[in-house]
């Protein structure tokens, strides 16, 4: 069976495929920390954040927040260039909730990257409850300056009972509302989900994919739950309150999820990055490439493709 979105051996629709076929050279994301906060940490929605969130607001590999954004950009870019010589860039506002500020602050943060050499895109990570009509109108204006303009929304799971358990601070309905607001403004949406959240079954993780298939989303990131030290979830894990997926279980679940995932949805990432100094478990998640290779191998063994179970 020929796979539509493939120039390599991949059996799912990768971001690499999308970018390479469009730009014909490497495009990498430059993660920055704009020192925003998060309503789930500063008390306006909650304190302590999502139970899995690291002190860096899930932006452990973003630039150094002590440095100005342009300096962060140059520093991260230099590191990336050790791996790829010739590339275009997507400025990635990764840490915390990057639309959680008044419009004038957003302007000061984002606009210095307009017309910057070789920057083809901007990607802004935020929470659905930090999306509203006013900031979407601004983002729509801003999006005109970039070839790629994405807003990354954390969902983690479509189940409200899981949202409560991980102290996410918003429910599925609010996520859906943000997706439609952004989509109506012509802004592309990348959704983050986490596999292996406490008490979630494989069927629930598949159901999250099925629900996403009904929404106008551009991309997805499928993370494995990483237990980071000094987080509430670490305490529960160490007290054996829930079970963490093994590598084989994660691989099998992801393959199944990909089979259900609509073929047009671009897979931006599988796995996830954690600072090894602070990761309690699972240690196998640190060997990212190994996990991805196993997914490829499993898909080949099963002759599986993204979207083949999508109806
Ligand atoms: S929304 Fe993001 S930054 Fe805020 S607590 Fe949750 S994971 Fe952390």
């Amino acid at each position: 069976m020929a796979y539509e979105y493939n120039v390599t051996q991949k059996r799912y629709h990768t971001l690499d495929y999308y970018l390479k076929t469009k730009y014909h050279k490497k495009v990498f994301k430059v993660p920055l920390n704009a020192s925003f906060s998060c309503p789930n940490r500063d008390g306006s929605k909650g304190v302590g954040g999502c139970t899995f969130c690291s002190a860096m607001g899930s932006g452990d590999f973003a630039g150094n927040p002590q440095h100005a954004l342009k300096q962060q950009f140059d520093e991260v870019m230099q590191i990336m260039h050790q791996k790829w010589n010739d590339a275009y860039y997507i400025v990635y506002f990764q840490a915390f909730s990057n639309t959680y500020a008044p419009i004038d602050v957003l302007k000061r943060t984002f606009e210095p990257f307009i017309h910057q050499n070789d920057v083809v895109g901007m990607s802004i990570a935020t929470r659905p409850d930090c999306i509203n009509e006013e900031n979407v109108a601004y983002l729509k204006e801003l999006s005109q300056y970039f070839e790629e303009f994405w807003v990354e929304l954390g969902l983690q799971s479509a189940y409200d009972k899981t949202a409560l358990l991980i102290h996410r601070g918003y429910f599925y309905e609010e996520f859906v509302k943000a997706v439609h607001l952004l989509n109506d403004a012509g802004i592309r949406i990348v959704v983050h989900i986490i596999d292996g959240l406490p008490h979630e079954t494989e069927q629930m993780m598949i159901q999250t994919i099925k629900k996403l298939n009904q929404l106008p989303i551009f991309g997805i990131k499928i993370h494995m739950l990483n237990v980071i030290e000094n987080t509430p979830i670490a305490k529960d894990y160490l007290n054996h309150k829930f079970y963490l997926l093994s590598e084989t279980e994660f691989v099998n679940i992801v393959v199944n999820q990909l089979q259900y995932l609509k073929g047009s949805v671009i897979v931006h990432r599988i796995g996830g990055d954690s600072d090894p100094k602070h990761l309690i478990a699972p240690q196998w998640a640190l060997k990212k490439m190994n996990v991805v290779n196993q997914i490829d191998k499993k898909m080949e063994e099963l002759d599986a493709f993204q979207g083949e179970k999508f109806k």
Side-chain angles (χ1 to χ4, degrees):
M1 176 178 166
Y3 184 54
E4 194 182 350
Y5 304 104
N6 175 36
V7 282
T8 60
Q9 293 312 307
K10 292 283 183 188
R11 288 163 173 257
Y12 57 95
H13 191 171
T14 63
L15 180 62
D16 194 51
Y17 167 84
Y18 168 77
L19 293 171
K20 276 205 183 121
T21 48
K22 189 161 173 185
Y23 297 98
H24 306 290
K25 71 174 176 185
K26 184 72 193 171
V27 180
F28 62 74
K29 286 169 92 175
V30 181
L32 305 180
N33 186 334
S35 299
F36 286 111
S37 180
C38 167
N40 204 18
R41 286 182 158 273
D42 70 5
S44 79
K45 260 290 173 70
V47 285
C50 305
T51 57
F52 54 83
C53 181
S54 70
M56 293 303 286
S58 297
D60 299 76
F61 293 94
N64 182 345
Q66 314 298 328
H67 298 170
L69 285 171
K70 276 294 184 80
Q71 188 184 343
Q72 287 185 38
F73 179 85
D74 289 341
E75 288 164 351
V76 178
M77 189 183 70
Q78 294 310 330
I79 296 170
M80 300 292 220
H81 271 305
Q82 291 168 8
K83 201 163 166 197
W84 298 288
N85 220 343
D86 187 24
Y88 294 132
Y89 319 115
I90 292 176
V91 189
Y92 178 27
F93 290 91
Q94 182 184 31
F96 299 101
S97 304
N98 293 281
T99 56
Y100 185 47
I103 300 294
D104 60 315
V105 176
L106 301 185
K107 285 184 180 214
R108 284 203 300 275
T109 306
F110 302 142
E111 292 185 11
F113 294 95
I114 293 175
H115 303 310
Q116 167 127 353
N117 267 356
D118 293 331
V119 169
V120 294
M122 181 173 281
S123 191
I124 298 171
T126 192
R127 287 167 55 93
D129 56 358
C130 296
I131 290 293
N132 53 52
E133 283 181 15
E134 192 196 5
N135 60 29
V136 168
Y138 168 63
L139 293 175
K140 182 179 179 175
E141 242 175 70
L142 182 67
S143 70
Q144 313 304 316
Y145 294 99
F146 298 94
E147 185 67 30
E148 307 296 332
F149 191 85
W150 313 328
V151 168
E152 304 197 16
L153 293 178
L155 170 66
Q156 322 316 353
S157 162
Y159 284 84
D160 287 346
K161 64 177 179 184
T162 304
L164 270 176
L165 203 66
I166 61 174
H167 195 241
R168 204 174 62 201
Y170 56 86
F171 290 126
Y172 186 66
E173 202 181 306
E174 193 150 12
F175 163 79
V176 172
K177 198 172 135 212
V179 166
H180 287 304
L181 262 179
L182 290 162
N183 184 60
D184 291 350
I187 295 170
R188 288 183 286 181
I189 302 135
V190 180
V191 181
H192 294 214
I193 64 168
I194 298 180
D195 284 351
L197 286 167
H199 314 304
E200 287 231 332
T201 61
E202 177 167 0
Q203 274 324 304
M204 291 167 78
M205 296 176 232
I206 298 293
Q207 190 58 24
T208 291
I209 296 290
K210 287 182 178 174
K211 289 188 101 167
L212 289 175
N213 280 338
Q214 294 162 17
L215 296 173
I217 66 163
F218 165 72
I220 190 167
K221 289 184 176 176
I222 306 177
H223 298 278
M224 168 60 202
L225 175 64
N226 282 353
V227 178
I228 313 291
E229 64 184 12
N230 300 324
T231 57
I233 219 165
K235 206 167 144 202
D236 286 350
Y237 173 71
L238 294 170
N239 286 326
H240 309 289
K241 293 235 175 98
F242 70 95
Y243 163 83
L244 209 52
L245 297 177
S246 70
E247 185 172 19
T248 306
E249 285 167 326
F250 177 70
V251 166
N252 290 340
I253 289 170
V254 171
V255 169
N256 205 0
Q257 286 176 310
L258 291 173
Q259 288 172 291
Y260 278 101
L261 181 67
K262 202 159 51 176
S264 58
V265 177
I266 295 167
V267 180
H268 285 232
R269 168 179 283 258
I270 296 176
D273 279 321
S274 277
D275 186 338
K277 290 199 294 291
H278 302 295
L279 180 72
I280 295 177
Q283 289 298 314
W284 56 259
L286 293 172
K287 292 190 181 148
K288 247 184 350 186
M289 279 320 295
N290 190 36
V291 177
V292 170
N293 289 341
Q294 286 195 54
I295 289 165
D296 290 343
K297 204 168 142 218
K298 187 78 196 176
M299 290 187 89
E300 204 176 324
E301 258 171 51
L302 299 173
D303 195 22
F305 291 91
Q306 180 178 338
E308 64 183 345
K309 294 181 183 172
F310 168 67
K311 291 193 190 96

